[in-house]
Structure formats: structure tokens, C-alpha cells
């Protein structure tokens, strides 16, 4: 199928519509080649061309205007050349809206036993067998240029967030050098926006050094990478806050790998604009439905005769048509239940981000945060200490 037409990349990419008078939260829009995207925004992860369990049309119907593709996986199967001949990833998956492709760097962590990193790039032993693959900054850009996403990411040297010692500094410095190689190799800068990725582990000085170096490069946006890997939440939020404080106000800030509802609310308050995570789709495949007060484990026997929808206030197709009892019964034997839960969980994320954005525009974000935390944790002893501390650091006090 022919790829939908994309306009030229507008400058600047981020238009700020409103800012919270107390915290660092801001509402805006990302002006991208396949249309504007309201932000803050959560981006579903479609590893091989769609979010697992959903079609592209269903994602669009839920209000999604940007989703992710995975450079490493698409580059190995089905291969970037086949996707390019299909009209790029937009045409391949019949997606008229915006796409972001990661660089393949995260596979250094997720496929650690199969990878070896050097200055040249990362050598992978493909998980499905076959010859070794060298993913260099140049190769990553070649694949991403063929895939044709609206936002492309630099190849960075990724280490687990719990890694300590000289390897963290080595990875940070290499990520800066690889950014320069990505910029030099980028073949479609007028059609595809190349974002830099801030590294430096949990070390404030390394993070600041990386920010100082990368903000000297002419890139349209920045990602905060290397987090959500098992680090303590107190370290997580402080690293996010440090990064947003020193990144440019007028460019998008993309916090990679974050998707829990509480994390999204807190990190918007800290100044982040974009998020992605496999969590809502992955947790659906385990029978877990996201709701404003936490989650429902629909495999549990307590839902066997519960004829209410997952959430009476949710307008998604699953909640409009099916009961908890029906989903509970399906989960025992039928993969349709996983599809229906995925649909609901993505709808939950979309609605949450829309509510966050509306509250910022209406200058009532602190009130929204308090209401969210009360609903989520009111019956569970109150919000976690890390969330309280993070919010207080930007002027939002919880009751």
C-alpha cells in the first residue's frame, strides 16, 4: 500500500500551549510530518508494525496519533528493504499518523547475552539464529531512513540503570560520539526528526556532562534514556528532574520506557512531554486490566459472576460491550480476551494523558494530581513516598 503523504518537518517541533503555574508540567503539540500530536503523550509500542493484539486502525480509533516501531526487530524480520518497498513503515502497516522508531540500542540490555559492544557498534547474535549482525550508528540510521518514521532515535550505548563504575561513563561518552555519527549518516533530515538520547546512569555529573555535550548539537528533541531498569524510585525521579531542568525549554523531552500511570503523572509534573512502554499491552496478556484505582486481575475467581464492565466510566469498545465475567471466562481458553484487554488498556493510557493535558490547559493540574493520587491510593494507605517527594520538589503537596 502506498505510504500516506507526509509534509515537511516544521520548525520548531514543539509548540507549548500552556504551562502549569506551579510545577514543570506543560501542554503542547508536536508538529510532525503526519499531523500534530497533543502532548504530554503516551506512545504505544508496536515492535514489529503494530501494538501486540491490535490493528493499526484500532489504535487510530482510540485516538493514538503516534506509536513506536523497533529498528532492531524490523531490521532483522521482515527486513528494512522489504518495508521500504512497501512504502516505508507507514505503508507497510497502513498507518496514516506519526511513527517513532527506536535505534536498536535498548537491545544491548534486553539481549545482553547475545550482544557485544565496541566503538564500531553493537554485534548481535540474532535470537532466531543466523549470521552475526553489526548495528553501527550508520547502519541504525540506514535502517531508520528506510523505515521512514517521523521521529528517529540516535544509536546510543545503553547500560542497565543499576550498572555502576567506569562502564557508565564509557557508555555516556560513546553515546555522544555516536550521536555525531548518526547526524553525519542521517539521509533524510528534512523528513525525519533525529532525537538525541541523554545517558549517564544515575550519576548527576555524568548526566549533566552528557546534556551539555548533546545540547551543543543541532537536534530537534531529546530523550532521557537509561532509566526504568530496576533502579530505586528515589534515584529515578531525581535523575528525571535533573535532566528536565537542564534540557532546552523549547524542545520535546521524551522519557523512554515509562508507562505506569503514577510514573506518567509524576514525570509530567517534572517536565516530560513524551513516554513509551510495553507495560499496558504486556500486562493485558497476563489478564490485567488497568483502572483508575489500580488494576483488576480478571483471571481471579472473584470476577466469575461480576457482570459490570471493567470500568463504568471508560468509553472503550471493551467496556461498552463486555462484562468482567465474560472476560474472566474467555481468559481461560480464548486469546480474544487478550485482544479485548489490550484495547482497554491502551484506551486507559490515552484517556489518562488526555485528562492530564486538559488539566494543564485549564490551569488545574495540581488539583488533578491530588484527585488522581486519591483515587489510585486512597484505599491503600496513600501514595508512595517517592511520588510525594517528587511532587513536592516541584511545588505540588498532597493532602
Amino acid at each position: 500500500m502506498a505510504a500516506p503523504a507526509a509534509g515537511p518537518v516544521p520548525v520548531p517541533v514543539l509548540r507549548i500551549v500552556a504551562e502549569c503555574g506551579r510545577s514543570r508540567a506543560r501542554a503542547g503539540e508536536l508538529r510532525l510530518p503526519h499531523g500534530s500530536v497533543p502532548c504530554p503523550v503516551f506512545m504505544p509500542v508496536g515492535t514489529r508494525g503494530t501494538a501486540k493484539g491490535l490493528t493499526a486502525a484500532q489504535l487510530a480509533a482510540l485516538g493514538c496519533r503516534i506509536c513506536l516501531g523497533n529498528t532492531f526487530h524490523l531490521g532483522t524480520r521482515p527486513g528494512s528493504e522489504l518495508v521500504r518497498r512497501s512504502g516505508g513503515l507507514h505503508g507497510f502497516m497502513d498507518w496514516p499518523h506519526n511513527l517513532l522508531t527506536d535505534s536498536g540500542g535498548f537491545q544491548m540490555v534486553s539481549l545482553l547475552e547475545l550482544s557485544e559492544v565496541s566503538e564500531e557498534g553493537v554485534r548481535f547474535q540474532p535470537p532466531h539464529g543466523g549470521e552475526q549482525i553489526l548495528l553501527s550508528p550508520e547502519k541504525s540510521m540506514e535502517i531508520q531512513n528506510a523505515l521512514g518514521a517521523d521521529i528517529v532515535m540516535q544509536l546510543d550505548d545503553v547500560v542497565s540503570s543499576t550498572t555502576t563504575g567506569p562502564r557508565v561513563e564509557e557508555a555516556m561518552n560513546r553515546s555522544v560520539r555516536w550521536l555525531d555519527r548518526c547526524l553525519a549518516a542521517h539521509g533524510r533530515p528534512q523528513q525525519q526528526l533525529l532525537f538525541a538520547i541523554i545517558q549517564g546512569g544515575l550519576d548527576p555529573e555524568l548526566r549533566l556532562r552528557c546534556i551539555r555535550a548533546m545540547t551543543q548539537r543541532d537536534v530537534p528533541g531529546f530523550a532521557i534514556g537509561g532509566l526504568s531498569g530496576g533502579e530505586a524510585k528515589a534515584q529515578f525521579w531525581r535523575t528525571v528532574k535533573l535532566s528536565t531542568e537542564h534540557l532546552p525549554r523549547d524542545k520535546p523531552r521524551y522519557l523512554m520506557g515509562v508507562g505506569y500511570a503514577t510514573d506518567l503523572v509524576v514525570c509530567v509534573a517534572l517536565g516530560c512531554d513524551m513516554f513509551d512502554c510495553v507495560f499496558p499491552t504486556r500486562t493485558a496478556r497476563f489478564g490485567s486490566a488497568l483502572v483508575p484505582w489500580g488494576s483488576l486481575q480478571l483471571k481471579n475467581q472473584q470476577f466469575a459472576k461480576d457482570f459490570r464492565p471493567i470500568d463504568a466510566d471508560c468509553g472503550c469498545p471493551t467496556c461498552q460491550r463486555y462484562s468482567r465475567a465474560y472476560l474472566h471466562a474467555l481468559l481461560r481458553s480464548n486469546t480474544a480476551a487478550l485482544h479485548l484487554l489490550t484495547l482497554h488498556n491502551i484506551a486507559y493510557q490515552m484517556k489518562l494523558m488526555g485528562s492530564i493535558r486538559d488539566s494543564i490547559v485549564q490551569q488545574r493540574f495540581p488539583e488533578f494530581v491530588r484527585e488522581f493520587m486519591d483515587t489510585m491510593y486512597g484505599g491503600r494507605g496513600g501514595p508512595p513516598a517517592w511520588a510525594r517527594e517528587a511532587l513536592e520538589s516541584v511545588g505540588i503537596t498532597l493532602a
Side-chain angles (χ1 to χ4, degrees):
M1 178 166 227
V9 172
V11 179
V13 176
L14 175 67
R15 184 175 81 89
I16 297 174
V17 174
E19 294 178 278
C20 174
R22 179 160 297 188
S23 70
R24 296 181 60 82
R26 69 251 193 101
E29 61 178 25
L30 304 172
R31 296 183 290 187
L32 301 175
H34 285 86
S36 66
V37 177
C39 61
V41 60
F42 176 82
M43 304 177 288
V45 177
T47 301
R48 296 181 187 274
T50 186
K52 284 187 181 178
L54 296 183
T55 65
Q58 287 173 318
L59 264 185
L62 293 174
C64 177
R65 292 298 175 263
I66 182 169
C67 66
L68 264 69
N70 184 290
T71 293
F72 175 78
H73 291 296
L74 286 165
T76 53
R77 282 188 178 184
S80 58
E81 177 57 21
L82 185 144
V83 175
R84 185 190 65 76
R85 287 165 54 196
S86 302
L89 191 51
H90 290 92
F92 188 61
M93 64 184 281
D94 189 22
W95 178 251
H97 306 295
N98 294 285
L99 288 166
L100 181 152
T101 43
D102 68 2
S103 63
F106 178 68
Q107 274 62 48
M108 293 181 213
V109 175
S110 64
L111 300 176
L112 183 61
E113 301 80 12
L114 303 174
S115 66
E116 178 186 347
V117 64
S118 68
E119 192 63 27
E120 187 181 14
V122 196
R123 290 194 179 277
F124 290 101
Q125 187 64 47
H128 307 293
E131 293 184 11
Q132 269 199 344
I133 299 166
L134 172 65
L135 187 65
S136 64
E138 292 77 14
K139 185 64 176 177
S140 176
M141 294 312 304
E142 178 189 319
I143 295 171
Q144 292 189 82
N145 286 161
L147 296 176
D150 303 88
I151 298 176
V152 297
M153 305 303 298
Q154 75 154 110
L155 183 66
D156 51 340
D157 187 355
V158 185
V159 295
S160 168
S161 58
T162 56
T163 301
T164 56
R167 177 72 182 97
V168 181
E169 183 173 9
E170 176 191 52
M172 182 275 289
N173 286 324
R174 182 174 286 140
S175 294
V176 176
R177 295 192 296 272
W178 282 3
L179 172 59
D180 289 337
R181 287 169 60 185
C182 286
L183 284 164
H186 189 10
R188 305 179 72 232
Q190 297 307 310
Q191 295 82 27
Q192 297 177 282
L193 301 160
L194 173 58
F195 279 26
I197 305 177
I198 306 300
Q199 291 292 348
L202 302 173
D203 185 320
E205 181 51 38
L206 292 181
R207 285 272 167 183
L208 288 174
R209 277 172 50 192
C210 192
I211 290 170
R212 282 194 289 267
M214 288 188 171
T215 51
Q216 291 174 17
R217 277 69 177 171
D218 184 19
V219 293
F222 295 91
I224 302 167
L227 296 175
S228 296
E231 72 277 4
K233 285 290 192 181
Q235 294 174 302
F236 164 78
W237 78 257
R238 286 184 172 87
T239 304
V240 172
K241 183 169 185 278
L242 177 80
S243 301
T244 59
E245 284 174 344
H246 290 87
L247 285 170
R249 174 186 174 275
D250 61 345
K251 294 185 178 182
R253 305 166 186 151
Y254 164 24
L255 181 56
M256 306 180 83
V258 168
Y260 294 149
T262 299
D263 295 10
L264 294 171
V265 171
V266 170
C267 292
V268 167
L270 297 177
C272 297
D273 306 304
M274 304 166 64
F275 307 87
D276 81 283
C277 192
V278 297
F279 167 69
T281 49
R282 180 172 289 168
T283 199
R285 298 196 293 275
F286 289 97
S288 181
L290 303 179
V291 288
W293 57 96
S295 62
L296 303 180
Q297 307 309 312
L298 289 174
K299 288 183 178 181
N300 291 351
Q301 193 60 32
Q302 72 188 84
F303 298 110
K305 297 180 181 179
D306 189 337
F307 299 105
R308 293 172 295 172
I310 294 170
D311 178 3
D313 294 325
C314 177
C316 83
T318 302
C319 289
Q320 292 299 302
R321 294 186 178 95
Y322 303 109
S323 68
R324 299 172 181 182
Y326 176 74
L327 295 167
H328 170 83
L330 277 193
L331 278 165
R332 292 172 170 267
S333 60
N334 195 318
T335 55
L338 310 184
H339 163 79
L340 293 170
L341 286 184
T342 300
L343 198 62
H344 166 79
N345 283 358
I346 295 295
Y348 171 82
Q349 300 286 100
M350 296 292 118
K351 182 179 179 182
L352 172 63
M353 299 312 291
S355 298
I356 290 172
R357 188 179 190 276
D358 288 347
S359 75
I360 298 169
V361 171
Q362 296 162 9
Q363 293 298 320
R364 57 176 304 275
F365 178 67
E367 289 79 9
F368 170 86
V369 172
R370 294 185 192 103
E371 291 163 6
F372 169 88
M373 292 293 178
D374 188 52
T375 302
M376 181 66 75
Y377 296 103
R380 294 190 277 159
W386 75 267
R388 285 183 177 277
E389 293 168 6
L391 292 166
E392 286 172 3
S393 77
V394 288
I396 298 178
T397 304
L398 301 179

